[in-house]
Structures are given as structure tokens and as C-alpha cells.
Amino acid sequence: MGVLDQELPMPYIALRDYLIEHYKAKRASGGRECIIRCPFCGDSKNRNSAHLYVGINRKNKTISFNCFKCNSSGSVGRDFFQRLEIYDTSLINLVLTYNRNLGVDTSLSRSFTASHTQDYENTIIPVKNTPEYQKKLAYVNKRIGGHLTLYDIPRYKIILNLLDYLNFNGIKVHSRHPKIMEELAFGFVGFLSVDGSHVIMRRVIPEEKVHESLRKRYTNYTINEHGNTFYCIPEGINPNYHTDLCLAEGPFDALSIHYNLRAFQFNKIIMSTNGKEGLDNVIKYLVWKRGMSLFNTTAHIYLDNDITSYDISVYTNLLISIGLPFVFHRNTYPGEKDYGVPGEHIIDTV
């Protein structure tokens, strides 16, 4: 470390050297600043040209940035790391803690307001003791071999009638045709997404009895199009203890894993990725939207049996790149393809 570096805060030096190593940033002002291509405007067409300066703000001493092309500027916060797709939680926490101690709101990094997904987490799941609700609850229990009651439905954010849920929460604007809404309410069981922006709908009646646009097994109903379609079993975690992040493709997988394999385990997150391509987006959501640190966390990936070796290599490369320890699981019970089944039909093989 040179004489100049001794005058600079260690969190900035760590960020600068990381950007030089991983993003080909160039030193400026003898190391007091570094220059990279701007992640906000995309910078110029010339790949060798860069306009975003990162350094120490002379006025408030925070680690800050400024693009001389699009004028994006501000203190380095979560949005900055998200734009650059940096997952190194040690580095992120080091920089954010430094800026936060100087009185900076690190949830944003731009000098103008960033858009955020509205959360509907405090909505109420209606419960009715009707033949329809009992029949759909019986379907859920049959799928996972469970003994859930109607009073368990809100805990697991299961929606047994979509129109009841929307009406109960005063959501009067619907995103599908009224006839489609009736079919979704009558013939589907729903799972409220992690931010309340979507309902993941599972068809429970024969496909010939619904509109052709609803004949796939799953349909996502949109409440807020800017949200996420991941389903999460609502549980609190203590970041001071080791956390198991359990990820599977569908909501019934997640529900069964919770109910049959990990019901009594402390400090876990169980989520569905809504398909093979969702793993990356779930991790981004947890880190950037929820501020979760991946330190002291192990990812448990519950694979469907139709997954390809290429998919596994993509998962492996992603998890290694962000330094997240991981374990792959398969259900090797004969004839079953995933974990969305009763416990006696699960042989959890690592």
C-alpha cells in the first residue's frame, strides 16, 4: 500500500481494487478515483471508453460515483452493486456500512429516485368454511400428504378463491377478462408471491373445462406487473445463525419440502423459483430487494428429475461465482419427478 492509499478509507480501496480486477476499471488521480463503464446508461459504443468515476466525495467523505455522460451520481448503495451484478457480500457490507455510518441511505445509489416494487405483503388471505374451500384444501393436502386446516391457509399464503382474495383486499382492477377471472376463481388454487404482486395459480379441474389460455398446469395472475413470481414459505430468520436457503421449481415442491422434510428446522428460507430459469433472479431478489447477506448461508437446490446436465452446470457456475456453498437434492422415489408429493413418496438423495 502506497503513501496515497494510506490516506484513503479501506472500504474504498477494497471496492477500487475489486473493480480493477473484475471490471477492468482504470485508476485515476493517483488511485483516489477509478473509472469504469457506466451501468446506468450503458456508456458509449466504444468498449474501451468509460465515463463513470468512483471515489471519495470531498464534501461528505462517502464512497460515491458520478457519470460524466448521463449524470447519474450519488453515494454507492445497493442499486450500484445490483447494476454491476456484484454479489460479493463481504465487499458490499463493507462499503454500505462505511457509507451508512456517514449518514447515507444506502438503499439507493442514484441521485434521482429509483423505481421499487410495491409490496402487498400485509394483505389478508380470506378463509371460508364452504364446500369449495374444503374441496380445494383437500386437493392441497392430497398433493403433499398433509393435514392442513383452513386456518393454516393464511400462514402459507394459499388462496383458494382468487376473486374472494381480490375483493377482500379492495383490489378492484383486474388484469384478465371477467370470464377468465371466474374460471381462475373456480378452477384453480393460488399461491401469493413473495411480494404480493402475483398469484401463482395451479389448475385443479380438467383442462377442457377452462379457456384455452388456462390449459397449462400453472398460470400466473398479475396484480402488479413489476413484481416477482416467486413463492416463499413465510418464516423469520436470524442472520446471526447459519441459514439454509432451500430452492425448488414450484410452489407445491416448496410446500412439501417445508411440511415433509424441514418442518422443525430452525433458520431456513424455502422458496420456489417458478421454473428452471429463476434461480439467478431469486438470489438477486433476496440480496437486492430484501438486503439478505449470503454470509453463513448454504443453498439447497431441490432438482426436478427432468433437469439437464447443462442446467446443472449453469446452476453450479452461478453459485460458485457468488461464493455460495450449495447442495443438490433429488427425489429418487420410483416414478416421481419432483418434491411436490407426499412424504412417503420422497427419497431425498443428495
Side-chain angles (χ1 to χ4, degrees):
M1 184 181 295
V3 175
L4 180 56
D5 278 2
Q6 292 178 357
E7 301 172 1
L8 300 172
M10 182 58 71
Y12 166 69
I13 295 173
L15 175 60
R16 180 198 66 192
D17 292 350
Y18 185 95
L19 294 175
I20 290 173
E21 179 181 356
H22 297 281
Y23 290 85
K24 300 180 180 179
K26 298 179 180 179
R27 285 174 175 257
S29 303
R32 291 186 182 276
E33 298 176 314
C34 65
I35 312 170
I36 61 172
R37 290 178 60 78
C38 180
F40 297 101
C41 68
D43 225 303
S44 61
K45 294 181 179 180
N46 182 356
R47 303 298 300 178
N48 295 319
S49 178
H51 295 86
L52 187 121
Y53 285 71
V54 181
I56 301 298
N57 187 302
R58 294 181 180 179
K59 293 182 178 179
N60 60 20
K61 307 302 180 183
T62 61
I63 301 172
S64 301
F65 67 91
N66 182 66
C67 176
F68 287 92
K69 184 175 178 66
C70 69
N71 294 320
S72 291
S73 62
S75 300
V76 170
R78 292 191 179 279
D79 192 39
F80 178 88
F81 289 109
Q82 181 180 4
R83 294 278 182 162
L84 288 172
E85 297 190 351
I86 296 174
Y87 294 100
D88 188 321
T89 53
S90 297
L91 175 67
I92 294 169
N93 290 334
L94 183 67
V95 173
L96 296 190
T97 299
Y98 174 83
N99 275 351
R100 196 178 298 121
N101 287 340
L102 291 172
V104 173
D105 179 4
T106 56
S107 62
L108 298 178
S109 65
R110 305 178 76 173
S111 57
F112 45 93
T113 304
S115 61
H116 285 269
T117 301
Q118 181 179 357
D119 279 5
Y120 294 85
E121 288 186 306
N122 295 322
T123 53
I124 301 172
I125 307 293
V127 175
K128 296 182 178 180
N129 190 9
T130 64
E132 177 198 1
Y133 274 58
Q134 292 288 1
K135 185 176 182 179
K136 289 183 177 178
L137 175 63
Y139 172 85
V140 173
N141 278 323
K142 183 178 180 180
R143 282 293 307 268
I144 67 170
H147 300 281
L148 301 180
T149 71
L150 285 173
Y151 297 101
D152 293 314
I153 296 306
R155 174 187 175 191
Y156 294 111
K157 300 200 299 185
I158 299 173
I159 295 172
L160 298 181
N161 183 295
L162 179 63
L163 284 174
D164 283 352
Y165 169 76
L166 297 175
N167 292 337
F168 203 80
N169 289 281
I171 303 173
K172 298 180 180 180
V173 178
H174 299 161
S175 59
R176 300 296 298 266
H177 188 276
K179 291 292 186 182
I180 297 294
M181 296 299 299
E182 292 177 4
E183 293 187 9
L184 286 171
F186 172 75
F188 289 74
V189 168
F191 298 83
L192 188 64
S193 71
V194 65
D195 57 6
S197 64
H198 293 79
V199 183
I200 303 98
M201 309 293 297
R202 174 58 164 93
R203 180 171 48 79
V204 298
I205 60 175
E207 63 180 57
E208 63 270 15
K209 292 188 177 182
V210 296
H211 187 268
E212 60 184 12
S213 67
L214 302 177
R215 289 178 182 172
K216 293 182 179 179
R217 289 187 305 153
Y218 283 94
T219 298
N220 291 332
Y221 177 78
T222 301
I223 298 172
N224 176 1
E225 63 181 4
H226 299 294
N228 298 280
T229 57
F230 319 127
Y231 171 67
C232 181
I233 306 292
E235 292 185 271
I237 62 169
N238 186 332
N240 295 318
Y241 296 92
H242 180 270
T243 301
D244 279 345
L245 174 59
C246 306
L247 303 176
E249 284 195 25
F252 273 109
D253 297 306
L255 192 61
S256 179
I257 290 164
H258 168 83
Y259 189 86
N260 293 307
L261 300 180
R262 293 178 175 262
F264 301 104
Q265 181 190 337
F266 171 73
N267 237 48
K268 64 183 182 295
I269 299 173
I270 300 179
M271 296 182 69
S272 70
T273 62
N274 200 25
K276 294 182 177 66
E277 295 78 22
L279 179 64
D280 185 22
N281 291 327
V282 165
I283 293 175
K284 287 179 180 178
Y285 171 82
L286 291 172
V287 173
W288 304 124
K289 294 294 184 182
R290 292 303 180 192
M292 176 183 170
S293 171
L294 298 180
F295 175 74
N296 203 21
T297 298
T298 299
H300 291 263
I301 314 300
Y302 291 82
L303 304 169
D304 281 12
N305 287 334
D306 61 357
I307 199 166
T308 67
S309 57
Y310 172 77
D311 292 325
I312 293 176
S313 69
V314 171
Y315 290 170
T316 300
N317 291 335
L318 169 65
L319 294 165
I320 289 175
S321 71
I322 60 179
L324 183 60
F326 60 93
V327 178
F328 288 135
H329 298 250
R330 284 184 188 272
N331 180 10
T332 57
Y333 189 92
E336 299 294 358
K337 66 175 287 290
D338 56 29
Y339 282 82
V341 295
E344 60 267 24
H345 278 221
I346 295 175
I347 300 176
D348 184 29
T349 304
V350 174

